[in-house]
Amino acid sequence: QVQLVESGGGLVQAGGSLRLSCAASGNFVSINAMGWYRQAPGKQRELVARFTDGGITDYAGSVKGRFTISGDNAKNTVYLQMNSLKPEDTADYYCKADVTDYRGYIGSYWGQGTQVTVSS
């Protein structure tokens, strides 16, 4: 089993910054991909930023230049630095990881989500 624990959400004024963290733990051999998604009320969950299999970063167009994803391999943790936040960034943010376990099974896991609210 794999657990993803997110932290760092909260309430911030437009133009402000927040940093989200997601730490992976459990029985796995490797993390193939890891990143952040978000879901606003009444909308579908969408990609925000991720490290793809191969280590390439991938950003949603709406956050490019404002958000930065980074990682600490030793801690199995990814971070999302969010700057110049806008009210439209308000959403529940979810961490997702694709991992390979000791049986060679590749599975996708989601965190519980952390709420980000940007006031105007």
Side-chain angles (χ1 to χ4, degrees):
Q1 195 57 273
V2 177
Q3 297 80 39
L4 301 176
V5 178
E6 302 137 330
S7 61
L11 172 64
V12 65
Q13 288 189 330
S17 298
L18 284 173
R19 187 189 193 214
L20 306 183
S21 299
C22 173
S25 63
N27 296 317
F28 55 88
V29 173
S30 64
I31 299 175
N32 307 319
M34 195 167 178
W36 293 94
Y37 294 72
R38 68 185 180 187
Q39 187 166 17
K43 295 189 177 181
Q44 288 188 329
R45 192 170 296 187
E46 63 177 3
L47 170 70
V48 178
R50 64 178 177 176
F51 289 107
T52 65
D53 192 351
I56 298 171
T57 55
D58 187 18
Y59 290 93
S62 60
V63 307
K64 279 183 180 178
R66 300 188 298 122
F67 292 11
T68 302
I69 189 170
S70 61
D72 185 332
N73 290 336
K75 296 181 180 179
N76 293 322
T77 298
V78 292
Y79 306 95
L80 185 68
Q81 179 65 43
M82 305 186 292
N83 297 329
S84 302
L85 282 160
K86 304 176 181 179
E88 51 263 44
D89 294 317
T90 295
D92 291 324
Y93 283 69
Y94 296 90
C95 179
K96 180 188 175 190
D98 299 331
V99 307
T100 300
D101 68 17
Y102 291 94
R103 302 166 297 173
Y105 173 76
I106 299 174
S108 295
Y109 298 87
W110 291 90
Q112 79 283 358
T114 185
Q115 189 172 54
V116 171
T117 302
V118 184
S119 63
S120 57

